[in-house]
């Protein structure tokens, strides 16, 4: 069964950087729009950034200029480079194909704290 495995999270100081990775085990990775989402306790999962089949990207206002989404179709990998992190970025991050029925992965925890 296709699945997503996120990695790269951890504890980072304010102003620091992390790069998240997303490994997809299914087929046709290059046919999908891929997105990163975040979720904080008590809140719904929300989109952070997305990248289309053709490589066009879209970043939400609260991360634009700080985060960059990318992908490697040959490796079936997605990435989220996160710079200038602040405490409000603390969350569990997930990758997924919007509207897909593929189960969500476990996510990767990002904690921004001094």
């Amino acid at each position: 069964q296709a699945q997503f495995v996120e990695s790269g999270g951890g504890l980072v100081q304010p102003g620091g950087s992390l790069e998240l990775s997303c490994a997809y085990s299914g087929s046709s990775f290059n046919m999908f729009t891929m997105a990163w989402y975040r979720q904080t306790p008590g809140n719904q999962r929300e989109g952070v950034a997305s990248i289309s089949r053709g490589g066009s990207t879209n970043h939400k206002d609260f991360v634009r200029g700080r985060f960059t989404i990318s992908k490697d179709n040959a490796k079936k990998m997605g990435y989220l480079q996160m710079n200038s992190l602040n405490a409000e970025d603390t969350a569990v991050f997930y990758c997924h194909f919007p509207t897909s029925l593929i189960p969500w992965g476990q996510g990767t925890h990002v904690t921004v704290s001094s």
Side-chain angles (χ1 to χ4, degrees):
Q1 183 179 14
Q3 63 177 351
F4 299 97
V5 178
E6 301 90 350
S7 62
L11 173 64
V12 62
Q13 292 187 340
S17 298
L18 283 174
E19 183 179 51
L20 306 184
S21 297
C22 169
Y24 174 64
S25 62
S27 60
S28 305
F29 177 85
N30 59 319
M31 300 299 291
F32 293 95
T33 290
M34 194 204 77
W36 282 95
Y37 302 80
R38 71 180 187 183
Q39 188 170 25
T40 55
N43 294 306
Q44 290 189 336
R45 196 176 287 137
E46 63 176 343
V48 173
S50 63
I51 183 166
S52 71
R53 291 170 49 178
S56 298
T57 62
N58 183 43
H59 298 80
K60 290 295 181 66
D61 287 346
F62 55 83
V63 301
R64 189 171 293 126
R66 300 189 299 123
F67 292 10
T68 303
I69 189 172
S70 62
K71 64 174 180 171
D72 185 329
N73 288 331
K75 295 181 178 179
K76 297 192 290 184
M77 293 288 297
Y79 305 97
L80 186 68
Q81 176 66 43
M82 308 189 297
N83 300 325
S84 301
L85 286 160
N86 57 59
E88 289 69 37
D89 295 318
T90 295
V92 181
F93 285 76
Y94 303 85
C95 60
H96 206 260
F97 300 149
T99 74
S100 170
L101 298 179
I102 298 170
W104 290 82
Q106 296 294 310
T108 186
H109 292 250
V110 173
T111 302
V112 185
S113 175
S114 56

